Amino acid sequence: MKSIRNYRVLSVAAFSFLFAYLLSFVFEGQVLYSTIDAFGAQSNTYILAAIVAHFAGLFSCGFFIKTPSGAKSAMIIGMAICLIATAPFLFAPSALWFVGLVTAGYASACAVAAWGFFLKRYTLKDERIKSCADVLIFSNIIMIALNVVAINLSHTIGLLLSMFCLILGGALTAILPAGTDEETTAVTTPETERKSPGDIRKPMLVLFLFVAVITVTSGLMYQVINPAFDHLTGLVSWYWAVPYIVALVFMRNLSSKNRVQRSLFLYVGMGMIIAAFITFMLLGRGTVDYFVIDTLMLGACGIFDLFWWSIIGETLDYSQNPARMFGVGLSANVLGVLCGDVLGVVITSIRLPDAEVAVIALTVVCVALVILPPLNRQLTMLLKNHAYLSAYADMSEKQQSAIICQVKLIDPLTERENEVLSLILAGKSNKEIAATMSIGESTVKFHVSNIFSKYDVGSRAELISSLLKNQTKA
């Protein structure tokens, strides 16, 4: 257990250095902006290319990285490629800048997604929120240091330090053990040869939509709020991410003590993000105004980010390929930021007064936030359902039979209802049950409704949870 904790710290440190490079350079980082500005180059093309390449890398990485050893190699090789691809930025602009940024965007994304294997292996499921918080906290602290150096001292030194982060991250990753042969076999075994508690694609789709919607506000912030405070360069260089870090520390401590439910954080963040845009609309553009607006905005971003990072961390147990789950989840964040960027560019290009721009941005944010609660409820239910089905699938046939027999004794079901229940426990959807039983989907829904009514539950997750609890008591 002690060695696992040590490896957790080591993996968090390795990923923090990688992520600090990503935040300070590839992903709309201040080191990149400072370098581009120092040479008088145009930033839009470079930034867009890097974001698109990063999205592609996160989304596709898990389809060819399928083993723990492959994940370790992907992290080390990815960071080495990023190091080489960043080198051209030490010199005057050329075609190598564009090629290098696209290459770094894709390679860093593969390295990030691959870390999902280490997060799953070295952190217990109920403690992954701590690892996610630690990564976000430490990487942002390092990013602040790199930004301060690049903006206030020298963009070249900032760039060299971000490259040094890659070296440190690669060295720490090389120390980590990749994983056992048993784990590799589990990952590479075809899906048809393993027990499958149900289709994970639907929860993944809902998770993808949830993360994308929740991060649209980040893209809007880059394009609408940040440019309004360009004159406060020195202050922005160090304070910008401070409220983000404070929010992460606060949430991490609350979560570790189990004082509040995680969903409450979501609604607190929603209130803060709305308040940020309202204060942006009402206040001026001075130092105190920036402190108020940035504190609300980045504090909300910290809450949102740890909220969905921790959900992704917990879902790693639902897939045999953590790189795919982790990568697809984070790619939704990139897509959300990209959509927010596009919306922000469109809004600001209209050349309206700041107050009107803020009203339009606030309207977009409110629409996004209205979508979040139902998405959150659906995601929570889907994940619970999958978790209960996983527990049932891991039982022996004798235990599964005992549950079915117990159901018949507690509250008799009709023959058809018993068939439907068996298929529900096999992870089948209503459509799949209808096809298996050669009946209409509406008929299946009727039987499912009767089963729910007899056991006084409102969903499959509640039904399966109730059955498992009763079986445990028995």
Side-chain angles (χ1 to χ4, degrees), residues 154-175:
S154 165
H155 71 89
T156 302
I157 297 177
L159 188 61
L160 289 170
L161 288 175
S162 67
M163 294 170 71
F164 184 61
C165 286
L166 290 171
I167 296 173
L168 289 176
L172 292 174
T173 303
I175 300 174

Side-chain angles (χ1 to χ4, degrees), residues 86-384:
T86 307
F89 287 84
L90 294 169
F91 308 97
S94 67
L96 290 177
W97 273 32
F98 184 84
V99 174
L101 201 52
V102 170
T103 302
Y106 190 87
S108 62
C110 291
V112 166
W115 187 68
F117 274 95
F118 295 99
L119 177 59
K120 179 179 180 179
R121 176 173 170 76
Y122 295 122
T123 305
L124 298 175
K125 181 178 178 179
D126 58 354
E127 293 185 354
R128 284 181 194 150
I129 189 170
K130 296 180 183 178
S131 290
C132 292
D134 291 342
V135 160
L136 293 171
I137 290 168
F138 295 137
S139 61
N140 274 272
I141 290 174
I142 299 169
M143 179 201 69
I144 290 175
L146 296 174
N147 287 350
V148 169
V149 170
I151 294 174
N152 301 301
L153 185 59
S154 165
H155 71 89
T156 302
I157 297 177
L159 188 61
L160 289 170
L161 288 175
S162 67
M163 294 170 71
F164 184 61
C165 286
L166 290 171
I167 296 173
L168 289 176
L172 292 174
T173 303
I175 300 174
L176 285 167
T180 64
D181 293 338
E182 190 176 271
E183 290 172 323
T184 302
T185 301
V187 171
T188 55
T189 302
E191 293 288 339
T192 53
E193 295 180 17
R194 297 196 305 267
K195 284 185 177 180
S196 178
D199 195 348
I200 192 63
R201 287 177 295 181
K202 187 174 180 180
M204 281 189 70
L205 176 60
V206 176
L207 177 60
F208 187 91
L209 291 174
F210 179 82
V211 175
V213 169
I214 208 173
T215 51
V216 164
T217 53
S218 298
L220 276 174
M221 173 190 66
Y222 284 123
Q223 297 299 329
V224 176
I225 292 182
N226 285 6
F229 295 99
D230 281 344
H231 58 289
L232 301 175
T233 304
L235 175 62
V236 173
S237 68
W238 68 269
Y239 185 73
W240 179 68
V242 169
Y244 181 87
I245 295 171
V246 172
L248 290 171
V249 172
F250 183 72
M251 281 185 62
R252 184 191 188 281
N253 291 335
L254 280 183
S255 299
S256 65
K257 296 175 183 177
N258 295 317
R259 291 179 181 174
V260 293
Q261 292 185 348
R262 183 171 57 189
S263 294
L264 180 61
F265 294 141
L266 178 63
Y267 297 102
V268 172
M270 289 167 61
M272 290 176 67
I273 206 80
I274 292 174
F277 277 96
I278 291 175
T279 52
F280 178 75
M281 190 167 47
L282 299 176
L283 299 180
R285 300 295 177 260
T287 302
V288 175
D289 304 316
Y290 173 74
F291 274 117
V292 174
I293 295 168
D294 186 71
T295 298
L296 288 169
M297 177 64 74
L298 269 297
C301 288
I303 291 172
F304 286 157
D305 281 3
L306 187 55
F307 182 86
W308 60 260
W309 268 69
S310 63
I311 291 177
I312 293 174
E314 291 175 9
T315 60
L316 297 181
D317 288 326
Y318 304 150
S319 172
Q320 292 292 337
N321 189 341
R324 182 184 299 179
M325 181 70 77
F326 197 63
V328 170
L330 293 188
S331 71
N333 169 48
V334 179
L335 181 62
V337 172
L338 184 59
C339 291
D341 272 344
V342 172
L343 286 171
V345 169
V346 172
I347 292 171
T348 53
S349 65
I350 303 175
R351 305 287 184 184
L352 295 173
D354 282 353
E356 294 183 28
V357 169
V359 170
I360 297 173
L362 179 59
T363 302
V364 174
V365 168
C366 287
V367 171
L369 295 183
V370 166
I371 299 172
L372 284 182
L375 272 178
N376 180 46
R377 285 193 294 272
Q378 186 177 8
L379 176 62
T380 301
M381 195 58 64
L382 284 169
L383 292 178
K384 280 184 178 180

